[in-house]
Amino acid sequence: MKVGIPKERRAGESRVAGSPDMVKKLVGLGLDVAVEAGAGLGANMADEAFADAGAEIVKDAAALYGDADIVLKVQRSLGPGDEIDEIAMMKKGAVLVGLLNPFGDRAMVKAYAARDLTAFAMEFIPRISRAQAMDALSSQSNIAGYKAVIDAAAVFKRVMPMMMTAAGTVPPARVLVLGAGVAGLQAIATARRLGAIVTASDVRAAVKEEVQSLGATFLEVESEETGEAEGGYAKEMTEDYKRRQAELIAQTLAKTDIAITTALIPGRPAPRLITGEMVQGMKPGSVIVDMAVESGGNCEFSEPGKAIEKNGVTILGPINLPAHSAAATSPLYARNLLNFLALLVDKESGNLSVDWDDEIVKGALLTRDGAIVHAALADA
């Protein structure tokens, strides 16, 4: 059975869905592995490294797709109307695994079913203990949270830590992190390591201890309402909660130098946490990094892929932050995929052997036997 790792072709994507270490392990399981020439260059992985690990280096994308029983991707495939139609090149009945953005591109989910692909979305891996090593959202968000703070520090015209000199003292930067999921917690930890005073907010009261354990202050909205949804994700809050939250955020932003926003709701537009009025109330020279900009944005003014200035405040809308550190995120993602493949491939024979009732398999499965089977997408 052959595993294919193609080059990523979506704009701005420099990651690769594999690593030499992963290839060695797949070959050890009796699988044939093909890697498209140049697939790993954006992540500092040369073709020679994949070849030394046991992979066949394939120059022709159509040949790689056409021979692969399992295709491993970072981003969703290209389809009709794109520069190439990757879906049309896959053989019918093949397995496709990747970060497929099912909620954001339902047309592609239909295309997977029409091609009779068995498609798995790594975003849908259940957040349970047994699946932690497969949780690609966490592995990628971790690095993204770090990078958001580094990018903010590069734009910020002062310094992050307190500095005492003979000429006087420079006060530490004050950082506000909105959303304390994986990305938010890493942003908190990074800002603290750089010497900033950090405050964080989240609708899930359960994360308060984690925030405080990292040395940050938890900004808590006085309410009996809980923002904890199934799987540990955040849920949409009531209008009364949003009003109280907005008042608290506005007061805090007025004293903030850097704000990092990470708030997302699966399958819904990102919640609007920073309004134009709040931005106007911030100090000139402040910086906002909106990590949710691709889902609509947490800040009213943020624009995908742009750095803009409003009232002296710089607002960054970075796209695909994990790809900005591809040499770090690609090996992590490859291990996520390797651990997931262990559920699909028999270790003895190297053939597909899937327990379709397995909780993790069912959670990630989008299409099978020509149909959309995931409950959240059945009406796609």
Side-chain angles (χ1 to χ4, degrees):
M1 189 167 68
K2 181 168 282 189
V3 174
I5 301 174
K7 183 189 301 182
E8 295 294 321
R9 288 178 165 81
R10 289 199 175 271
E13 186 52 75
S14 53
R15 290 172 291 176
V16 59
S19 68
D21 183 61
M22 172 212 208
V23 168
K24 283 182 183 178
K25 290 182 169 61
L26 291 177
V27 171
L29 290 174
L31 298 171
D32 296 324
V33 182
V35 177
E36 186 177 351
L41 294 181
N44 299 340
M45 299 180 195
D47 291 345
E48 292 77 12
F50 283 108
D52 290 344
E56 174 191 2
I57 305 302
V58 179
K59 294 184 178 180
D60 182 56
L64 180 139
Y65 277 109
D67 288 341
D69 301 293
I70 300 175
V71 175
L72 302 180
K73 291 273 295 164
V74 178
Q75 292 214 36
R76 66 196 188 282
S77 306
L78 297 176
D82 293 314
E83 59 180 275
I84 66 171
D85 190 341
E86 294 174 308
I87 296 176
M89 290 192 290
M90 293 184 215
K91 62 183 179 182
K92 292 185 177 182
V95 174
L96 172 65
V97 186
L99 292 163
L100 303 181
N101 190 20
F103 287 130
D105 197 342
R106 297 196 177 204
M108 291 301 289
V109 178
K110 288 183 178 181
Y112 303 146
R115 189 63 181 172
D116 195 22
L117 300 178
T118 301
F120 293 95
M122 292 298 286
E123 301 99 314
F124 283 0
I125 295 289
R127 286 194 163 173
I128 58 176
S129 297
R130 190 166 64 89
Q132 284 182 345
M134 310 169 203
D135 188 352
L137 286 182
S138 291
S139 73
Q140 304 303 286
S141 295
N142 208 317
I143 304 298
Y146 160 85
K147 192 67 170 64
V149 175
I150 299 301
D151 288 353
V155 174
F156 187 50
K157 294 179 181 178
R158 286 201 292 108
V159 295
M160 297 286 274
M162 179 172 67
M163 290 190 174
M164 301 179 70
T165 74
T169 300
V170 179
R174 292 186 174 273
V175 175
L176 173 63
V177 178
L178 298 178
V182 174
L185 291 172
Q186 183 55 246
I188 293 168
T190 302
R192 288 286 296 141
R193 285 196 293 269
L194 291 175
I197 296 173
V198 184
T199 301
S201 174
D202 197 288
V203 298
R204 299 163 298 173
V207 303
K208 180 178 180 178
E209 289 186 11
E210 292 182 84
V211 168
Q212 293 174 332
S213 72
L214 293 171
T217 300
F218 188 68
L219 194 66
E220 196 165 8
V221 177
E222 291 186 10
S223 173
E224 295 181 359
E225 189 176 353
T226 176
E228 193 85 24
E230 185 178 352
Y233 294 101
K235 70 177 185 180
E236 186 82 17
M237 306 302 285
T238 64
E239 292 303 318
D240 178 67
Y241 183 97
K242 291 178 183 178
R243 178 185 56 77
R244 297 186 187 196
Q245 181 187 47
E247 291 173 356
L248 196 55
I249 290 173
Q251 294 168 11
T252 308
L253 280 173
K255 300 175 287 184
T256 293
D257 298 302
I258 295 173
I260 310 289
T261 72
T262 74
L264 292 169
I265 301 172
R268 303 283 297 277
R272 183 58 50 80
L273 301 179
I274 299 180
T275 64
E277 185 178 352
M278 292 179 189
V279 173
Q280 291 175 359
M282 295 179 72
K283 297 179 291 184
S286 300
V287 179
I288 297 171
V289 181
D290 190 344
M291 293 182 65
V293 69
E294 293 177 88
S295 296
N298 296 142
C299 176
E300 181 176 341
F301 292 135
S302 60
E303 297 182 30
K306 294 184 179 181
I308 63 173
E309 187 173 310
K310 292 285 186 180
N311 198 42
V313 178
T314 301
I315 303 164
L316 306 180
I319 294 176
N320 194 6
L321 269 174
H324 296 191
S325 304
T329 50
S330 292
L332 295 175
Y333 182 59
R335 284 195 282 274
N336 294 142
L337 289 171
L338 179 65
N339 291 322
F340 182 67
L341 287 179
L343 298 179
L344 310 182
V345 177
D346 181 75
K347 294 180 181 179
E348 301 297 326
S349 67
N351 295 322
L352 280 177
S353 179
V354 184
D355 177 3
W356 299 106
D357 291 322
D358 183 283
E359 182 180 4
I360 300 172
V361 171
K362 288 175 66 175
L365 183 63
L366 298 181
T367 62
R368 182 187 176 201
D369 296 331
I372 298 171
V373 298
H374 198 284
L377 299 164
D379 61 343

